Amino acid sequence: MNMTHTTTEIREAIRDKLQRHFGRDSETATQKQIYRATCSVLRDMMTEQWMKHHCDEPGHEEKEVIYLSMEFLPGTSLRNNLFNLNVTEIFRDALDQLGFDLEKLQDMEPDAGLGNGGLGRLASCYLDALATQRIFGHGMSICYEYGIFKQKIRDGRQEELPDDWLTLGDVWLVPKDDEFEEVRFGGKLEEAWTTEGKLKVTHKGYTTVVALPRDMLITGYDSPLLNTLRLWESTSPITIDMKLFAEGKYLQSMEEKHMAEVISKILYPEDAHREGKLLRMKQQYFFISASMQYLVKKHFRQYGTLDNFQDKLAIHINDTHPTMAIPELIRIFVDEYEMDWNDAWDKVRQCISYTNHTVMPEALESWPEDLFRETLPRLHSLIQEINRRQHIRLMQNFPNEESLRNEMAILAKGQIRMANLCVESAHTVNGVSGLHSQIIRKDLFPGFARETPGKFTGVTNGIAYRRWLCQANPQLCDLIEELIGGRFRKDASELEQLRKYEDDKNVLRRLSEIKKSNKRNLASYVENTMGIRLDADSVFDVQVKRLHEYKRQLLNLMHILYLYLKIKENPNSDLCPRTFFFAAKSAAGYHIAKEIIHLANSIAGMLEKDPAVRDRLKVVFLENYSVSLSERIMPAAEVSEQISLAGKEASGTGNMKLMINGALTVGTLDGANVEILRQVGNENMFLFGMTVEEVEALVRSGSYDPWNLMQSDADLSAILRLLSGKIDGVRFTEVFHSLTAGDHKNSDAYFILQDFASYKEAQQKVDQAYRDTLRWNRMSLHNIAGAGLFSADRAVLEYADRIWHVPPMANGGSDAHI
Ligand code: 26Q
């Protein structure tokens, strides 16, 4: 984008903000004040640019995408916005002249952590890509006052602390209080026939919650278009009223106020949980109802009709969490705009698309019908109607297949099954990797796939690679630019040109020097924050992701115990020194996951205390995994652990971030690892473990017996013996039993012991490959060259073309300057 601002202008604008907001000058201002003033100047520039496309209502007539998600994980924004708008150097110089350091300010920014992990980060990556591709696309979610908890490790255990990100993170939010919406909970329905013979439903006795928009502006790289992430904050319409107090109703009104305000208080920190909690239900309806009311109203204001609603909006549902958008739109159309059911239903189907992100049965959402009826009576009656019509159709299509019909039902066993509601109503159902898309068709929704096979599709996930490559790893980015020019910043497929340099020793040497320098940076972060000294010559092996049994952090830990035993047994055994990095948050109530975190820390302690081992084998558990921590880790990684049980990880996106930074994957044929394999070939990664088909066959046979397996394998026996005793003074009975409990058949649910031998072999190959520096760096470069496919730009263009049917901004917007 063309720059029309000068350093002097920016410097003076920052000065001006300091004076007006804080009554300070650059001599007396604190770091926080200068930080706020800087962001505020940038935000003003962004707002000005945003207004060119969004403010002059009735506005543009292009179709827009609305990306509904309970979670977004933007991380930090200052560096990203400066980068996208190409004003980093100008701001750096302006701050320099005022005596401040841009890097320091960037480090102060708290992460906006309004999500748990992959799904939330994907949503943010897609917003970045939408703006970059000049597609009108807005996110909508909740303005959680507290984001994902801050993780502290104390005595090896996870502790959760509140994340009050808004104290400094509010600089990016534009409050739009005049665009509030009212959301209704509870109450009763009254039905009456009108004189025209229509059934009119009236909702009475409800409680109102007010939704206030806080907009975060979203920049794209080298793009004139800014989009918005609209975050709704809940509040009560009740103001404290002394008259009510006198009437003795003060407490009652305070209670209602409290119930309203609690809705946007905190993000649920579970990322695979079915238990239907009332507060979560209220959160979902709160942000969905506010968003849908806003969209319909805005559309009607702009076009004076809803006839073309479905031509102007593509509404995307990020997993089932925003499914209530379906009945809520019908409610608005039918109850507020007096539309016929069939018209309303047709419109909704044409707007709504749905992406599934998980096949884990415990993560498939369902709500107890009673609770739902009581809290959202009108939505409940509309879902009953959708279910009734579905039932009629299923009786026609599958007259003799009762169990299939039951599987597909929306209402069953006193539950509302949100995934079935989604698949029934959406025009497209999407998986996040090739394998996952097949599993969705075959195992999750086979009945629907038989009825309407064309509804099912797949778009492999992508990442905002400019964040993880260009911003987080500037040295690598500079080298790439020197080799193939700067076009890869806009078009990641250009990275393929790096293949030309795979045999260029000079390039490979520089690649490894950059890696070394990034490793040193991470090592000094670890030394400064944890007081642990690392060897930057050891292999940096990384497993960073949510803690889940299916992701099998325990497999990695067991292999570390194996290496430990090997060194103890033979102090001369020839192993490349390795540092194993872990970072992972566990849901607060996920007991065994928390035990695994404790185990990782105890193993770290045990290795550290042993002089024969500590210089050869290290475990570092980095606390508080977050977007900004991952930006530190990815550039320094050499081995990427993607070791989930085949069939369980829908895609993974950390695998892509590590690959584009030159790490080599040790992985199963799961999720997007399959596509990684296709990009780089067998010889450039370390595959191991059962395939999905082998897992299925083993499950079907019912013959898996981990106890037997352990007894017949000397390595496994030794590891498990170690694990059954004390590690660094702590006994991990439950972890041990999860693998080999008395009832053999139910233990080791994720087949860790079954895949162990093959994992060990893959790790031996890693060790061998690392010794051949030239070969390793060639593989690394080959991986970087193949990582372009995993760009979020590519992913959103596929969505735009195949699912949302939206074109990029018509007039490339080249006239717009910032
Ligand atoms: C559900 C009900 C109640 C409370 C919480 C939840 C809940 C919240 C978050 C369920 C699931 C999630 C998040 C899931 C998630 O992050 N899935 C990941 O999505 C990535 C992006 O597609 C994939 O790459 C990962 O494979 C997938 O695990």
Side-chain angles (χ1 to χ4, degrees):
M1 180 164 320
N2 293 352
M3 258 300 307
T4 55
H5 292 273
T6 64
T7 304
T8 313
E9 278 167 15
I10 299 298
R11 190 191 63 217
E12 292 315 306
I14 295 173
R15 265 210 183 116
D16 193 50
K17 291 272 182 200
L18 281 177
Q19 204 169 56
R20 286 191 295 123
H21 292 193
F22 308 112
R24 296 281 175 97
D25 57 28
S26 57
E27 312 277 270
T28 54
T30 63
Q31 283 277 333
K32 273 191 186 161
Q33 288 167 334
I34 192 88
Y35 170 76
R36 277 188 176 277
T38 305
C39 294
S40 176
V41 167
L42 185 57
R43 206 188 79 178
D44 287 351
M45 289 163 64
M46 286 157 55
T47 311
E48 200 182 307
Q49 180 66 18
W50 177 86
M51 286 178 67
K52 292 190 181 143
H53 294 287
H54 294 287
C55 233
D56 34 334
E57 301 239 12
H60 66 88
E61 300 210 335
E62 273 101 334
K63 191 171 181 179
E64 286 187 9
V65 178
I66 303 298
Y67 199 91
L68 298 174
S69 180
M70 281 282 273
E71 306 192 0
F72 283 86
L73 264 180
T76 59
S77 293
L78 177 54
R79 186 177 61 175
N80 186 245
N81 288 332
L82 291 172
F83 178 89
N84 278 345
L85 303 176
N86 194 20
V87 291
T88 309
E89 291 317 314
I90 288 164
F91 271 72
R92 192 194 307 283
D93 294 347
L95 284 163
D96 203 44
Q97 290 176 8
L98 294 169
F100 290 93
D101 177 12
L102 175 61
E103 307 296 320
K104 278 213 186 104
L105 295 188
Q106 286 173 170
D107 285 344
M108 286 173 64
E109 182 173 358
D111 275 28
L114 312 180
N116 277 285
L119 164 146
R121 183 53 230 176
L122 186 79
S124 282
C125 283
Y126 284 2
L127 289 189
D128 179 288
L130 283 166
T132 302
Q133 295 308 320
R134 306 172 184 210
I135 295 167
F136 289 95
H138 306 290
M140 296 203 180
S141 190
I142 297 171
C143 190
Y144 300 107
E145 194 177 327
Y146 295 94
I148 184 70
F149 64 84
K150 281 211 178 95
Q151 182 194 53
K152 278 264 161 232
I153 301 295
R154 241 207 303 169
D155 298 329
R157 293 191 171 84
Q158 165 176 307
E159 282 181 6
E160 301 90 19
L161 297 177
D163 162 45
D164 57 348
W165 71 288
L166 280 172
T167 51
L168 214 55
D170 64 332
V171 286
W172 300 112
L173 300 179
V174 187
K176 296 265 175 85
D177 286 1
D178 54 322
E179 296 182 38
F180 74 91
E181 295 291 345
E182 293 186 352
V183 180
R184 297 167 174 186
F185 291 93
K188 293 266 170 309
L189 300 181
E190 276 179 16
E191 295 186 344
W193 293 96
T194 64
T195 43
E196 297 101 63
K198 272 193 166 177
L199 189 64
K200 178 100 190 143
V201 178
T202 332
H203 191 179
K204 297 226 163 120
Y206 49 79
T207 307
T208 301
V209 173
V210 172
L212 301 171
R214 274 83 185 86
D215 286 353
M216 189 183 281
L217 300 184
I218 306 293
T219 54
Y221 179 64
D222 190 28
S223 164
L225 179 65
L226 275 86
N227 287 321
T228 40
L229 169 54
R230 172 155 284 198
L231 302 171
W232 298 96
E233 179 183 325
S234 67
T235 185
S236 158
I238 304 166
T239 48
I240 302 167
D241 182 338
M242 290 316 282
K243 227 174 97 213
L244 278 177
F245 185 72
E247 287 167 20
K249 288 184 185 157
Y250 177 69
L251 279 179
Q252 182 197 324
S253 73
M254 286 305 282
E255 253 168 47
E256 280 193 19
K257 191 171 162 63
H258 179 72
M259 131 40 191
E261 281 166 3
V262 94
I263 289 180
S264 61
K265 197 51 91 181
I266 184 159
L267 166 84
Y268 270 85
E270 289 106 51
D271 72 345
H273 205 70
R274 169 151 61 174
E275 195 183 347
K277 291 253 174 59
L278 178 60
L279 179 58
R280 185 159 166 103
M281 183 191 296
K282 286 184 179 166
Q283 288 187 328
Q284 293 187 347
Y285 186 61
F286 164 73
F287 101 91
I288 288 302
S289 178
S291 302
M292 294 305 109
Q293 292 188 61
Y294 163 73
L295 288 179
V296 176
K297 234 179 266 172
K298 183 165 152 272
H299 183 92
F300 197 82
R301 205 170 49 229
Q302 183 170 354
Y303 296 98
T305 173
L306 295 182
D307 288 352
N308 59 346
F309 187 82
Q310 66 286 3
D311 305 328
K312 298 296 175 192
L313 280 170
I315 301 177
H316 198 78
I317 297 190
N318 200 25
D319 217 292
T320 54
H321 320 149
T323 302
M324 290 180 197
I326 293 159
E328 177 65 4
L329 269 180
I330 297 183
R331 181 192 72 75
I332 298 170
F333 290 159
V334 171
D335 292 357
E336 293 181 13
Y337 289 82
E338 301 185 340
M339 210 180 276
D340 285 340
W341 176 276
N342 286 330
D343 292 341
W345 176 249
D346 284 346
K347 272 195 198 315
V348 169
R349 313 191 34 116
Q350 289 177 60
C351 288
I352 300 271
S353 47
Y354 155 59
T355 292
N356 173 285
H357 295 266
T358 177
V359 297
M360 303 287 290
E362 61 267 34
L364 287 183
E365 271 194 308
S366 64
W367 293 110
E369 219 184 320
D370 296 345
L371 186 68
F372 198 99
R373 187 190 294 114
E374 208 177 293
T375 316
L376 306 168
R378 183 56 179 144
L379 250 56
H380 178 260
S381 74
L382 294 166
I383 293 172
Q384 274 182 318
E385 181 61 14
I386 300 174
N387 186 66
R388 191 183 68 80
R389 287 167 184 255
Q390 182 203 38
H391 182 72
I392 294 170
R393 192 189 72 241
L394 294 182
M395 288 301 282
Q396 279 170 5
N397 288 355
F398 304 114
N400 305 316
E401 292 174 84
E402 193 186 345
S403 76
L404 186 72
R405 292 198 309 267
N406 289 341
E407 249 174 50
M408 296 173 71
I410 296 162
L411 298 178
K413 301 179 184 160
Q415 298 279 315
I416 307 180
R417 303 197 299 209
M418 302 308 264
N420 283 357
L421 176 54
C422 260
V423 181
E424 176 70 21
S425 319
H427 60 78
T428 305
V429 176
N430 182 57
V432 290
S433 70
L435 179 64
H436 172 65
S437 306
Q438 277 175 26
I439 291 175
I440 286 181
R441 269 181 271 235
K442 192 165 79 60
D443 302 327
L444 234 44
F445 308 116
F448 291 103
R450 267 170 64 190
E451 262 190 319
T452 44
K455 193 183 252 201
F456 291 82
T457 184
V459 175
T460 297
N461 281 168
I463 57 167
Y465 69 100
R466 285 172 290 273
R467 180 178 282 266
W468 273 275
L469 177 63
C470 307
Q471 297 165 39
N473 197 346
Q475 293 184 70
L476 180 54
C477 192
D478 288 347
L479 173 65
I480 296 173
E481 173 158 15
E482 189 189 315
L483 298 174
I484 65 172
R487 287 206 342 239
F488 76 96
R489 287 203 180 83
K490 282 219 97 162
D491 175 3
S493 70
E494 292 273 318
L495 289 171
E496 265 174 44
Q497 291 188 48
L498 289 172
R499 299 235 153 99
K500 297 197 288 251
Y501 298 96
E502 276 172 23
D503 292 312
D504 185 326
K505 288 197 178 133
N506 188 33
V507 166
L508 295 179
R509 185 184 45 78
R510 290 176 65 195
L511 181 65
S512 87
E513 282 166 3
I514 289 167
K515 184 60 84 181
K516 183 63 77 55
S517 147
N518 292 332
K519 286 167 75 180
R520 285 202 198 97
N521 285 344
L522 181 61
S524 36
Y525 173 80
V526 169
E527 186 159 5
N528 295 338
T529 55
M530 306 175 68
I532 302 174
R533 287 196 82 128
L534 301 181
D535 171 12
D537 289 326
S538 65
V539 185
F540 276 23
D541 181 309
V542 167
Q543 187 171 19
V544 289
K545 49 184 77 243
R546 277 301 283 245
L547 214 135
H548 262 288
E549 286 164 282
Y550 83 80
K551 295 180 189 277
R552 302 201 293 193
Q553 280 94 349
L554 188 51
L555 174 58
N556 189 347
L557 291 171
M558 284 180 60
H559 176 253
I560 295 167
L561 292 179
Y562 162 78
L563 294 176
Y564 167 78
L565 289 170
K566 201 163 145 170
I567 295 173
K568 294 304 281 179
E569 196 182 314
N570 175 9
N572 297 323
S573 49
D574 187 21
L575 288 172
C576 288
R578 248 204 246 198
T579 306
F580 290 92
F581 292 88
F582 290 86
K585 284 178 182 173
S586 156
Y590 190 174
H591 180 71
I592 194 84
K594 286 184 134 178
E595 287 290 302
I596 294 169
I597 291 177
H598 192 188
L599 174 62
N601 283 300
S602 294
I603 294 178
M606 175 180 78
L607 302 179
E608 208 50 31
K609 290 193 180 100
D610 193 332
V613 181
R614 67 170 163 238
D615 295 333
R616 311 182 60 189
L617 206 55
K618 255 191 214 315
V619 168
V620 179
F621 191 100
L622 298 163
E623 74 183 2
N624 201 37
Y625 189 50
S626 56
V627 172
S628 50
L629 182 56
S630 97
E631 290 164 11
R632 291 184 190 275
I633 299 171
M634 302 302 175
E638 295 176 296
V639 178
S640 158
E641 301 272 353
Q642 309 300 334
I643 60 178
S644 52
L645 175 66
K648 296 295 180 195
E649 189 70 89
S651 159
T653 43
N655 45 2
M656 304 169 183
K657 293 162 198 167
L658 287 159
M659 176 187 185
I660 207 165
N661 277 286
L664 305 188
T665 306
V666 175
T668 46
L669 277 174
D670 200 15
N673 297 353
V674 177
E675 276 98 331
I676 294 181
L677 169 66
R678 208 168 300 145
Q679 289 302 103
V680 303
N682 215 348
E683 63 288 2
N684 289 299
M685 65 191 294
F686 304 93
L687 282 173
F688 76 96
M690 289 184 283
T691 62
V692 174
E693 292 75 22
E694 286 162 348
V695 175
E696 279 170 2
L698 186 55
V699 170
R700 230 178 304 121
S701 78
S703 66
Y704 183 55
D705 187 341
W707 183 265
N708 248 338
L709 199 65
M710 169 189 70
Q711 286 190 319
S712 58
D713 182 313
D715 290 336
L716 281 177
S717 308
I719 296 162
L720 285 160
R721 201 170 319 117
L722 182 58
L723 196 56
S724 69
K726 284 188 175 174
I727 294 186
D728 202 28
V730 187
R731 208 178 275 285
F732 292 92
T733 316
E734 282 142 303
V735 176
F736 175 72
H737 282 303
S738 78
L739 296 168
T740 60
D743 174 10
H744 306 160
K745 296 280 158 68
N746 282 328
S747 49
D748 194 15
Y750 299 100
F751 301 103
I752 290 176
L753 303 196
Q754 177 69 30
D755 274 349
F756 185 81
S758 151
Y759 182 57
K760 189 181 71 190
E761 231 174 87
Q763 291 290 13
Q764 273 155 6
K765 288 186 186 150
V766 171
D767 187 281
Q768 282 306 315
Y770 198 78
R771 288 156 200 264
D772 184 345
T773 311
L774 203 62
R775 173 171 164 229
W776 184 274
N777 287 313
R778 194 183 299 126
M779 289 168 79
S780 173
L781 189 68
H782 192 81
N783 270 264
I784 301 169
L789 177 71
F790 303 111
S791 153
D793 299 336
R794 183 270 312 153
V796 300
L797 286 175
E798 278 188 47
Y799 271 93
D801 179 39
R802 285 164 38 209
I803 300 176
W804 300 326
H805 307 294
V806 293
M809 195 162 86
N811 158 23
S814 51
D815 57 331
H817 300 303
I818 188 165

